[in-house]
Amino acid sequence: MSARSGPILLAVAVTALIAGVVLSHATIRSDMADFLPQGRTAGTSLVSKELLSGAATSLIMLGIEGARPGELARISQSMTRALDRTGLFSFINNGSQDLLANDAEQVLFRHRYLLSPTTTAEAFAIPALRDDMERLLRGLQSSAAPLVEQFGTADLPGAFPALLHDLIGSSRVHTLHGVWFAADRQRALILASTRAGGMDVEAQEAVSTAIQQAFTAAEPGNAKLLAAGPAVFARAAAQAMRADVMLLSIASTALLAALLLWRFRSVWMLIVVAIPVTLGIAAATLVVQLVFGFVHGITIGFGMTMLGVTLDYPVLLVGHRKHGEAAKDTLRRIGQAFRLTALSTALGLTGMLFSGFPGLSQLGCFSVVGVAVAAAATRWLLPYLIVAAGVAPVSAGDAARLLRIEHLRVWRGYVAGACVLAAGWLTIVGGPRWQSELAALSPVPASDFALDAELRGEIGAPDAVLLGVVQGDTAEAVLRQEEQLLPGLDALIRDRVLSGAEVAARLLPSAATQLARRAALPAPDELAARIATAQAGLPFRPGVFQPFVDAVAASHTMPPLLPSDIDSPMLRARLDSLLFTRDGLWYGVIAPTDLRDPSRFAATLQQDGAMYLDIAGETNAIVADSTSKAWRWLVAGGLAALAAVTVGLRSPQRVATVAAAILAALLLTVVILTAAGVPLSLIHIIALQFVCSVGLDYALFFARRQLDQEERARTLRTLATCNAMTVLTFAMLALCRTPLLQQIGITVVIGSLAAFVLAFLFAGERPNDRPEPT
C-alpha cells in the first residue's frame, strides 16, 4: 500500500464496514400500509390498514381471452388444476367444481338449516312443504333435473341454494363449457386467493411465476392472460421500480463516473465522491431506524435520490482546490459558502418531518441526517484524503475566455421581466392544478386500475372504496349488529341503490340467530308426519324425503358454527376480509357492489349505528391535508434557510440575489409543469425541495466574494459540473417506466437547470463588478 493510496483505502474500508453493519441490521419494510397515511380516527385507521395489508389484498382475478370458448375453457381447466397443485393458493375457483366437491360447500350443506335465512317455522308448515314438493316436481321435468334430484329430496325448503346465492354474491358470471365466463364478452374467468399476503412482494413473485408457468403449460396459442388485484399490483409495481432503479443505478453511475474522470482525470475522485454519500446514507438509515423502529424501502430509495445533492459537496471542495494547495487554504476560500450550503439545505428539508404523512416524515428525517453527515464528512475527512491523493481539477483553459460567459449576465433584467410575466400568467390561469388523490402517488399505471375494475365487475368482487363498518367487543356482537342492517340493505337492493352487499352475517349468522333457527325446526317425528300429509296425492314414493328428516334431526343437536370453527380455505378467505380483529376489537365490513347512491347507503348504515367509510375520500383527504402541510412546511423550511443565509452572508443585497434565484427557479419549474398540463402532487413538492437544495448550492457559491478571475472561472466550472451530475442522474429517472419516478425526474431536471441558470444570472457578480476581499 503506497503512502498516497493508504489513507483513502483505509477510509473506504471503514466506510464500507459502517454501511454494511447498519444496513444489515436495519429493519426494512416494503408494506405500503406503513408508508401511506392512515385514517383520521382510530377506527378508520385500523380498517384502512386492514384493507391495505389484510386478507383482501391476497385476491387475484385472472381472465383468459383471444380464443374460442371451448379453447378458453380448456386453458382455464388446465391452469386451475396446475395452480391448485402448487400449494400457493388458499383457494382457486373457475366455476368447474361440482356442488359439494369443495370443502366450503360441504360446510354450508352440513349446517344449512342453522345458516340459511329460509329456516323459519313457516317453512316447515304443511302448506309450505306442499308448495316445495310441487316446485320439486316441476324441477324434475326441467333441464336442472340432475341437480334437483341430487339435492331436492334432502333439502326440501331449499336452504342450501339460498346459502350458495350468498356465497356467490353479486357475480355476473355464467357457466359455459363447465367454467366461468364473463356475461358480456368471450373471456374465461378464474378467482384465486394466495396463502401469502398480497403485500408480501417476494411471495407474490413465486405466485406470478406459477401463474405464468401454468398458462404456458396449457399451450394457449393466441390466447391472452389478464391478471389484476392488489397482489398483482404490488408485485408489478415492485418489479417495475426494481428494473427502473437498476437502470438508473447502472446508467447514472456510468455517466457520472465518465463525467468525473473527464473533469478531474483521477480514479481517486470517484472514491472521494462516494465516501461522504455512503456515510450519509448509513447514518440516515440508523437514525430513522432508531426514531421510527423500521426503515421503509421507499424511504431508502427516495432518500438516496434526495441525498444526490450531497454528491455536490466533494465536487465543490475538490473543484475549488488548486494543485498542491493545502486543505486549510481551500476551506478558507469556500468555507463560509460551504457551511451555509449544508446548513440551509438541511433546514430546507426539515419541513418534510412535520408533514403528518408517515412516509414523508421518514424521508425528511433520512434526508436531513444524510445531508448533515455527508457535509461533515466532506468538511472534516475529505480534505486530508484529497491532499493525500493529490486530487484537483484539470484546467479548462484560458480563464479570461471562460469568463466571457459572464457577460450573459447583462440579460438578467430581461430574465427578471420574463419571470414576472410567468408569475402573472400563473395567476391568470388560477395557479397550478393540484392532484390530491392517492393514485397520484401510486406507481401502478392507470390502465392496470381500469383492468382491475373491469374484472371485479365481471366476477362480482366488491371494490373496497365505499364501505360500511361495524365495531364490537366480540365477533358475536359484530355479527348481531350486521344482522340489524340486513333489512335495510335488502331494501336498498330492491330499490336498485346497489346490486348486492358482501356482509359476514350473510355467510355466518350470529350464534343467537343460529340457535333461534335451530329452535324453529320441528321434531323429526312431527316433520315426518307433516311430510306424509303434504305429499298426499303427489307421485313421490314413501321414504323419499328421509334424508331431509335426518338432516333436520342432526341439526337439532348441532352447535352454532363460530368463526373459529371454520377451516374451509374458501370460506376463510371470504370471511377474513369481512370480519377481523385488531387491537382487541372486532370489525365487520359491509362492501357494496354497483353502489349508485352513496348518500342513501350512508344514511342506512348510520341509522343502525354503523360507520360509513369512504376509503378513497378519506385517504385523498389525508393526502390533500398532508400536501397542504408539506407545502406550508416547505415554505417554513425555506424561510429558515433564508434566515441562515441572512446571518451568514451579512449582506442584504447578496441575500436578495440568492433568494431571487431560488424563488425564480421554483416559479419557472411550476410554470413549465402547469403549461404542460401536469397536475402537481406531494411527489412534486419532494422534487421541488431537492431543487431548492441544489439551487442553494449554486446561488451561494455564485454569490460569494471571489478575489480573482481564476477563482470565478473555477467556481463556474465546478458548479457546471455539479449541475451536469444532477441533470444526468435525474434525466435517467425521467426515462423510467414508473410514472412516479418519471415525475420526480422531469421536475428535478427542469428545476436544476433553471436553478443553475438563474443563480448564475442573479447571484453572480456583474461583468464589471470589483470583488471585495472577505
Side-chain angles (χ1 to χ4, degrees):
M1 181 184 296
S2 67
R4 177 181 179 184
S5 62
I8 293 183
L9 294 179
L10 178 61
V12 169
V14 172
T15 299
L17 178 62
I18 293 173
V21 170
V22 170
L23 293 175
S24 64
H25 287 80
T27 303
I28 299 176
R29 295 184 186 173
S30 59
D31 191 338
M32 286 298 294
D34 294 321
F35 191 81
L36 298 175
Q38 304 302 314
R40 290 175 287 185
T41 66
T44 57
S45 177
L46 283 169
V47 174
S48 298
K49 188 175 180 65
E50 172 67 21
L51 293 172
L52 284 169
S53 60
T57 63
S58 63
L59 184 71
I60 293 180
M61 297 166 289
L62 301 176
I64 311 166
E65 60 184 19
R68 294 179 178 178
E71 182 66 9
L72 295 177
R74 182 192 64 78
I75 297 170
S76 173
Q77 294 281 34
S78 174
M79 287 189 65
T80 301
R81 288 192 294 268
L83 293 176
D84 190 42
R85 289 193 297 267
T86 65
L88 297 174
F89 298 88
S90 58
F91 83 85
I92 182 164
N93 196 352
N94 69 344
S96 64
Q97 288 89 344
D98 293 330
L99 292 179
L100 299 185
N102 66 60
D103 53 4
E105 286 155 357
Q106 290 175 11
V107 171
L108 295 180
F109 190 74
R110 190 165 57 250
H111 294 81
R112 59 191 180 278
Y113 295 118
L114 272 63
L115 302 180
S116 176
T118 64
T119 304
T120 62
E122 293 76 13
F124 293 86
I126 293 173
L129 293 173
R130 176 77 177 194
D131 291 341
D132 292 336
M133 291 176 185
E134 291 175 348
R135 175 178 48 82
L136 180 58
L137 284 174
R138 292 192 297 271
L140 289 171
Q141 297 170 4
S142 70
S143 59
L147 289 178
V148 174
E149 186 176 350
Q150 181 181 3
F151 297 107
T153 57
D155 183 23
L156 195 54
F160 182 54
L163 287 175
L164 285 181
H165 179 271
D166 290 333
L167 180 65
I168 295 172
S170 59
S171 174
R172 292 190 292 271
V173 300
H174 72 278
T175 302
L176 182 63
H177 297 288
V179 303
W180 284 338
F181 272 79
D184 56 353
R185 69 178 68 212
Q186 198 164 290
R187 176 187 290 169
L189 300 171
I190 301 174
L191 182 64
S193 180
T194 61
R195 297 187 186 279
M199 299 298 109
D200 186 343
V201 176
E202 291 185 5
Q204 293 304 326
E205 287 283 1
V207 169
S208 176
T209 300
I211 291 173
Q212 192 57 52
Q213 288 176 346
F215 182 65
T216 303
E219 300 179 355
N222 294 326
K224 178 182 178 183
L225 177 65
L226 306 174
V232 176
F233 290 164
R235 186 205 63 81
Q239 187 179 53
M241 292 187 75
R242 276 200 300 268
D244 286 340
V245 169
M246 182 65 69
L247 170 66
L248 175 66
S249 300
I250 295 174
S252 62
T253 299
L255 290 171
L256 292 181
L259 176 64
L260 292 174
L261 286 173
W262 169 76
R263 179 71 179 86
F264 297 98
R265 303 293 198 277
S266 172
V267 175
W268 296 116
M269 184 61 189
L270 303 182
I271 299 175
V272 165
V273 168
I275 288 174
V277 178
T278 304
L279 289 174
I281 291 172
T285 302
L286 177 61
V287 172
V288 169
Q289 174 72 44
L290 293 175
V291 172
F292 295 91
F294 70 96
V295 186
H296 202 282
I298 293 179
T299 298
I300 293 180
F302 280 1
M304 292 174 65
T305 300
M306 294 295 289
L307 291 187
V309 68
T310 61
L311 288 172
D312 291 355
Y313 296 166
V315 173
L316 289 170
L317 177 62
V318 177
H320 283 91
R321 180 174 180 261
K322 302 174 183 177
H323 280 282
E325 185 179 40
K328 62 180 182 179
D329 296 331
T330 305
L331 289 171
R332 185 181 299 115
R333 286 186 291 110
I334 70 167
Q336 182 192 48
F338 182 81
R339 287 191 298 273
L340 281 177
T341 292
L343 177 60
S344 57
T345 297
L347 288 173
L349 293 171
T350 54
M352 288 189 289
L353 283 167
F354 309 102
S355 66
F357 196 105
L360 205 57
S361 297
Q362 267 207 16
L363 184 57
C365 179
F366 190 98
S367 302
V368 170
V369 173
V371 164
V373 171
T378 302
R379 170 63 180 83
W380 301 107
L381 175 62
L382 251 59
Y384 305 102
L385 298 181
I386 63 175
V387 169
V391 180
V394 175
S395 174
D398 179 55
R401 177 172 59 84
L402 183 63
L403 288 172
R404 281 198 294 271
I405 299 173
E406 289 193 335
H407 284 280
L408 294 173
R409 289 181 178 137
V410 299
W411 293 90
R412 67 174 58 172
Y414 298 102
V415 174
C419 290
V420 172
L421 291 176
W425 175 83
L426 191 62
T427 302
I428 291 172
V429 300
R433 183 161 59 93
W434 288 98
Q435 170 66 275
S436 60
E437 294 184 2
L438 185 62
L441 307 180
S442 174
V444 180
S447 59
D448 288 358
F449 283 120
L451 176 62
D452 179 81
E454 191 175 284
L455 290 176
R456 281 182 185 275
E458 293 170 351
I459 291 178
D463 190 4
V465 176
L466 302 174
L467 302 170
V469 179
V470 297
Q471 176 183 319
D473 294 331
T474 63
E476 177 71 5
V478 169
L479 292 172
R480 287 190 182 187
Q481 290 184 62
E482 289 186 343
E483 287 169 346
Q484 295 175 6
L485 290 168
L486 292 179
L489 293 173
D490 290 338
L492 294 179
I493 294 172
R494 288 194 300 271
D495 294 343
R496 299 183 182 277
V497 174
L498 45 87
S499 62
E502 293 275 323
V503 187
R506 288 196 192 276
L507 297 174
L508 182 67
S510 67
T513 296
Q514 293 183 55
L515 290 174
R517 289 173 180 170
R518 190 178 72 180
L521 296 173
D525 292 343
E526 174 64 22
L527 178 59
R530 293 179 187 179
I531 290 174
T533 302
Q535 76 178 72
L538 296 177
F540 291 108
R541 68 179 185 273
V544 70
F545 295 111
Q546 189 59 43
F548 171 43
V549 176
D550 293 341
V552 171
S555 298
H556 269 289
T557 59
M558 191 176 290
L561 187 65
L562 303 178
S564 57
D565 298 330
I566 295 178
D567 54 8
S568 159
M570 185 174 182
L571 280 180
R572 186 83 268 162
R574 287 288 301 279
L575 279 174
D576 282 349
S577 60
L578 298 174
L579 182 68
F580 53 87
T581 180
R582 290 290 181 274
D583 297 340
L585 291 175
W586 282 84
Y587 294 88
V589 174
I590 298 98
T593 52
D594 292 335
L595 180 60
R596 302 174 183 90
D597 189 346
S599 61
R600 282 194 61 186
F601 178 62
T604 299
L605 293 172
Q606 292 162 358
Q607 180 179 341
D608 289 310
M611 289 188 297
Y612 171 71
L613 184 57
D614 181 351
I615 292 291
E618 174 82 7
T619 307
N620 290 339
I622 297 170
V623 172
D625 181 59
S626 298
T627 301
S628 178
K629 284 183 180 179
W631 185 252
R632 292 196 298 270
W633 281 106
L634 172 63
V635 174
L639 293 175
L642 180 62
V645 170
T646 302
V647 172
L649 291 180
R650 298 189 298 275
S651 168
Q653 180 181 355
R654 287 196 289 169
V655 171
T657 59
V658 169
I662 301 301
L663 290 175
L666 292 176
L667 171 66
L668 288 183
T669 303
V670 171
V671 166
I672 291 171
L673 292 173
T674 302
V678 177
L680 304 188
S681 69
L682 196 57
I683 292 302
H684 293 91
I685 293 180
I686 296 174
L688 290 174
Q689 292 222 347
F690 185 89
V691 170
C692 285
S693 300
V694 296
L696 278 169
D697 288 0
Y698 306 150
L700 287 170
F701 271 84
F702 275 128
R704 71 189 181 92
R705 301 297 189 186
Q706 298 170 74
L707 299 178
D708 52 45
Q709 283 192 340
E710 182 182 353
E711 181 68 5
R712 289 162 68 174
R714 191 178 292 114
T715 294
L716 182 59
R717 288 196 300 266
T718 300
L719 294 181
T721 301
C722 291
N723 184 249
M725 291 166 57
T726 299
V727 170
L728 286 175
T729 299
F730 284 89
M732 296 306 302
L733 207 61
L735 297 177
C736 291
R737 295 178 299 169
T738 307
L740 182 148
L741 298 180
Q742 286 179 351
Q743 291 302 317
I744 293 177
I746 292 170
T747 303
V748 172
V749 167
I750 295 171
S752 62
L753 286 172
F756 177 76
V757 172
L758 293 169
F760 168 77
L761 291 175
F762 292 168
E765 296 168 341
R766 287 170 295 184
N768 296 322
D769 283 349
R770 295 285 183 179
E772 301 173 8
T774 55

